[in-house]
Amino acid sequence: MEIYGYVRVSTKEQNEDRQMIAMREKQVPERNILLDKQSGKDFNRPMYQQMLKKIKQGDLLYIKSIDRLGRNYQEIQEQWRILTKEKGIDICVIDMPLLDTRQGKDLVGTFVSDIVLQVLSFVAENERTNIRQRQAEGIAAAKARGVWCGRIPAPLPNNFDDCYKRWKSGKITCANAARECGMPVSTFRYRAERYESMQ
């Protein structure tokens, strides 16, 4: 029997130390700890896919928490089925002792672990939805405060003020003003709106 550990963080900047410490405490060999630095929205992750190829019947897989496996409710359920039923391995979710397939192999034990898995999978996906909503709200709030989010725009050309004033007074068309500024009409209109708001 081989013992594996799967570790996941969502971005390269996030720290996996907490999960790695948990794997070492469970005496997972370093060579069998597989780490992905990728979103949990799906299972198209290189190290997870490599683990699927290596792992075999009778092996044991440790995961720190169910959201480290993934954050998609249906896919977590499907991957759990593939790992436990098709591959025939045991899984132990360290932070949730009820999700240890080595325990309670009887009908009641299986029933309880299935319910816990469904609840935690739902919570994991719901948290992903909440994270995205909080990000969108944070960006909207930052924009409302005048904090720029995203790419910094190129500086306005030196003749923008003159072109803008002539366009606003009806002396030239928007297309002519945009052409004189060396930008597409849509960009000129967008920059003109921002320019107006700062006047």
Side-chain angles (χ1 to χ4, degrees), residues 11 149 166 189:
T11 66
C149 297
R166 288 190 292 133
R189 284 187 185 281

Side-chain angles (χ1 to χ4, degrees), residues 1-198:
M1 181 191 80
E2 285 277 353
I3 300 174
Y4 290 88
Y6 181 69
V7 173
R8 184 187 68 79
V9 289
S10 297
T11 66
K12 289 182 170 64
E13 292 76 34
Q14 287 183 336
N15 191 311
E16 67 274 7
D17 288 353
R18 188 176 59 90
Q19 296 177 70
M20 296 298 278
I21 289 166
M23 296 303 157
R24 290 181 188 118
E25 285 174 355
K26 294 294 181 183
Q27 300 181 332
V28 179
E30 289 286 333
R31 70 179 186 280
N32 287 350
I33 300 175
L34 296 114
L35 165 66
D36 275 316
K37 295 197 173 192
Q38 202 168 331
S39 165
K41 65 179 181 176
D42 59 43
F43 284 84
N44 296 324
R45 302 176 224 139
M47 298 312 287
Y48 182 83
Q49 292 301 321
Q50 184 178 319
M51 181 192 71
L52 270 185
K53 289 175 186 167
K54 289 173 69 173
I55 213 159
K56 59 190 184 305
Q57 187 169 358
D59 288 346
L60 171 62
L61 172 64
Y62 281 106
I63 309 162
K64 179 80 170 88
S65 57
I66 199 70
D67 63 341
R68 298 304 86 206
L69 183 61
R71 286 195 181 275
N72 179 305
Y73 177 79
Q74 290 184 325
E75 288 202 35
I76 291 172
Q77 307 284 321
E78 177 61 12
Q79 290 302 312
W80 190 274
R81 186 193 64 77
I82 288 169
L83 291 166
T84 58
K85 302 292 190 288
E86 290 183 17
K87 293 282 186 179
I89 69 158
D90 278 311
I91 304 175
C92 175
V93 179
I94 298 167
D95 287 352
M96 180 52 62
L98 284 172
L99 285 179
D100 184 343
T101 60
R102 297 170 299 176
Q103 313 297 324
K105 298 241 183 210
D106 62 351
L107 189 59
V108 174
T110 303
F111 177 69
V112 169
S113 65
D114 283 352
I115 290 174
V116 171
L117 175 63
Q118 289 195 28
V119 170
L120 292 180
S121 302
F122 170 79
V123 169
E125 178 165 335
N126 195 49
E127 178 59 15
R128 178 172 168 256
T129 303
N130 290 339
I131 288 168
R132 292 171 71 187
Q133 183 176 345
R134 287 194 296 268
Q135 285 173 338
E137 288 169 356
I139 289 167
K143 285 183 177 177
R145 290 193 316 270
V147 177
W148 185 261
C149 297
R151 190 165 51 107
I152 297 171
L156 292 172
N158 292 333
N159 65 339
F160 186 84
D161 182 65
D162 177 59
C163 292
Y164 167 78
K165 287 176 178 169
R166 288 190 292 133
W167 167 64
K168 284 302 272 186
S169 65
K171 291 179 181 169
I172 60 172
T173 65
C174 184
N176 286 338
R179 190 177 310 109
E180 285 185 35
C181 288
M183 57 179 66
V185 172
S186 59
T187 302
F188 179 83
R189 284 187 185 281
Y190 172 73
R191 300 300 295 273
E193 283 176 22
R194 291 188 61 79
Y195 189 72
E196 279 175 25
S197 68
M198 292 188 297

